Amino acid sequence: MVNTDIIDLLAAVKDPELPMISIFDLGILRRVLQQNGRWQVIITPTFSGCPAINEIERNIHTVLTQGNVGEFDIVKELSPPWRSTDVSASGRKLLHENGIAFADDGVRCPRCDSTNTLGISDYGATACKSFARCLSCKEPFEVFKAH
């Protein structure tokens, strides 16, 4: 099995809190290496206390076991920390289409594309997100923090 085959398998693993996006597009999957006959799957949570990371690890384990990739380890890497800029272009598009903005984009409303927005809470549904409201269309939306 080659690296691209494993990445293809891992691309099927979705973030449990954002089921429209894979861990690959979300930037959680950092890299896949082979060392001493074992695969190393390196992941970084979107937030150091991310409660979804355990489920993500279980899903990775399931996908790789079912894919018969052989021996592997899942390694959590906290440094460098995940940043919203780690999200792929297609992942950003998917999240935008699902009503989630990015703080590093000047907090552009995912509904009407206005930058006339206001942060309304530093705390969102998950630790890596906050809430904002568009002052143009008046709709609230989630924002990935730019940590």
Side-chain angles (χ1 to χ4, degrees):
M1 182 163 283
V2 294
N3 199 342
T4 54
D5 294 333
I6 290 179
I7 290 174
D8 287 345
L9 288 171
L10 292 170
V13 177
K14 305 294 185 186
D15 183 288
E17 295 172 338
L18 300 164
M20 78 290 291
I21 190 169
S22 71
I23 61 169
F24 178 79
D25 280 325
L26 193 53
I28 291 173
L29 177 61
R30 290 292 171 117
R31 58 193 177 282
V32 177
L33 313 166
Q34 191 172 36
Q35 294 180 337
N36 303 320
R38 291 181 73 87
W39 290 101
Q40 302 287 312
V41 178
I42 294 92
I43 59 174
T44 298
T46 57
F47 203 81
S48 62
C50 176
I53 201 69
N54 292 330
E55 186 173 344
I56 290 169
E57 285 184 79
R58 282 191 298 276
N59 294 341
I60 289 171
H61 187 274
T62 298
V63 163
L64 295 182
T65 300
Q66 290 174 349
N68 296 314
V69 301
E71 295 184 29
F72 61 89
D73 297 303
I74 303 167
V75 179
K76 278 188 275 196
E77 205 174 70
L78 299 179
S79 181
W82 178 91
R83 301 215 180 274
S84 57
T85 54
D86 294 334
V87 179
S88 71
S90 59
R92 283 178 171 268
K93 184 176 187 278
L94 261 173
L95 292 171
H96 184 82
E97 289 168 354
N98 282 275
I100 300 171
F102 291 87
D104 59 346
D105 282 346
V107 190
R108 184 173 297 279
C109 175
R111 292 181 177 71
C112 74
D113 219 30
S114 172
T115 55
N116 187 16
T117 61
L118 174 69
I120 55 176
S121 176
D122 287 339
Y123 306 98
T126 61
C128 54
K129 291 184 282 185
S130 62
F131 278 109
R133 181 177 334 142
C134 179
L135 299 175
S136 296
C137 72
K138 309 293 188 230
E139 289 293 321
F141 58 94
E142 289 185 299
V143 180
F144 257 113
K145 296 177 183 176
H147 57 262

